Amino acid sequence: MEVAGLTLAGGVTFSCTYLLIRRILLSGFSHKISTDILCDLSLKIVSSLQAIASFTIGNIIATACQGNIMTERHWLTNSYAVFALPYFVYDVGAMYEVHYHQYKEIQKKPLLFGIQHFLRRNKAMMIHHIVLPIIFYPAIILLRKGYGDFFVGIFYQIELAIPFIVFRGALAELKMKDTALYVISGLLMIITFAVTRVTVFPYLYWRYSIHANISFWDVPWNIPIKCNVGCLIILVLQVYWLAIMVKGAVRVFYKMYITRISKKSSTE
């Protein structure tokens, strides 16, 4: 009953927050900004709020489990996993609404056509939204057997990068790519992503080495192989996305450099 209640509460919270923000934006800016962009901005705001909540709760859990990082428990660890599970379902629905307003050609077609159109253009995100809860929800709720709340708390905190990612995306949608704010947000995005999603893995291994009183380099040989494999897979994906971000930043700075050189040449 508690699980069902938390799941329902999560679904209602995310959906109602999106509907409320969308209504506010549409009532205030629909005469200036298109509906698809306003819906997407609403989606991004909810994503940021979820990320901030995840980071805050993760910080509370990790701070509370500083004694024995393997055995100390915190009630928020499992509770938030259950509460946040419907987010993936809500997010797919909200993404479809954005897609519906972006592509006018599907609005007069049957619903099934629209869904197929949406799935074809969002394959990577759909895989992410299916695979992530299938793997991590059982891992947090069932497979840990009550151990490692500290590590789950740290993983909750990797969501800190999301607000910077969506803020940069929002600036791009609002045609503000040439502003200093866009550049600054991009740099902050890269820094927070690198810290929270890449360096977090060496940090976790270092904390376990202190707990087990062993060398940092001995940690991989003293933990289950599934932990090493899981961390390696996630780390490779994060490094891949970080590389894409850095490449994009280099492209932006190069464009700024070329523009400055062109302006300087034209004034001479």
Side-chain angles (χ1 to χ4, degrees), residues 74-85:
H74 196 287
W75 66 271
L76 279 171
T77 308
N78 286 2
S79 296
Y80 188 71
V82 175
F83 178 83
L85 183 63

Side-chain angles (χ1 to χ4, degrees), residues 32 63 74 141 152 180 190 225 260 268:
K32 297 180 179 179
T63 302
H74 196 287
I141 302 298
V152 177
I190 291 173
I225 189 172
R260 179 175 293 184
E268 292 179 351

Side-chain angles (χ1 to χ4, degrees), residues 141-238:
I141 302 298
L142 302 173
L143 302 181
R144 295 187 305 119
K145 298 179 181 179
Y147 290 101
D149 279 26
F150 168 82
F151 296 98
V152 177
I154 295 296
F155 271 112
Y156 282 161
Q157 294 181 65
I158 70 174
E159 292 289 279
L160 181 62
I162 296 296
F164 297 97
I165 295 172
V166 300
F167 182 65
R168 183 172 177 270
L171 291 176
E173 285 191 324
L174 296 173
K175 304 186 186 306
M176 297 176 65
K177 280 189 174 183
D178 295 326
T179 64
L181 186 59
Y182 182 80
V183 175
I184 293 171
S185 66
L187 292 175
L188 290 174
M189 175 189 72
I190 291 173
I191 293 170
T192 55
F193 193 94
V195 171
T196 61
R197 301 210 172 195
V198 177
T199 63
V200 65
F201 291 97
Y203 171 75
L204 290 174
Y205 276 60
W206 172 70
R207 285 303 304 267
Y208 185 82
S209 72
I210 295 175
H211 165 77
N213 196 27
I214 59 176
S215 165
F216 172 84
W217 306 107
D218 290 332
V219 172
W221 316 109
N222 287 270
I223 61 176
I225 189 172
K226 61 184 178 182
C227 295
N228 288 315
V229 173
C231 287
L232 180 61
I233 292 173
I234 298 172
L235 177 60
V236 168
L237 291 172
Q238 305 313 307

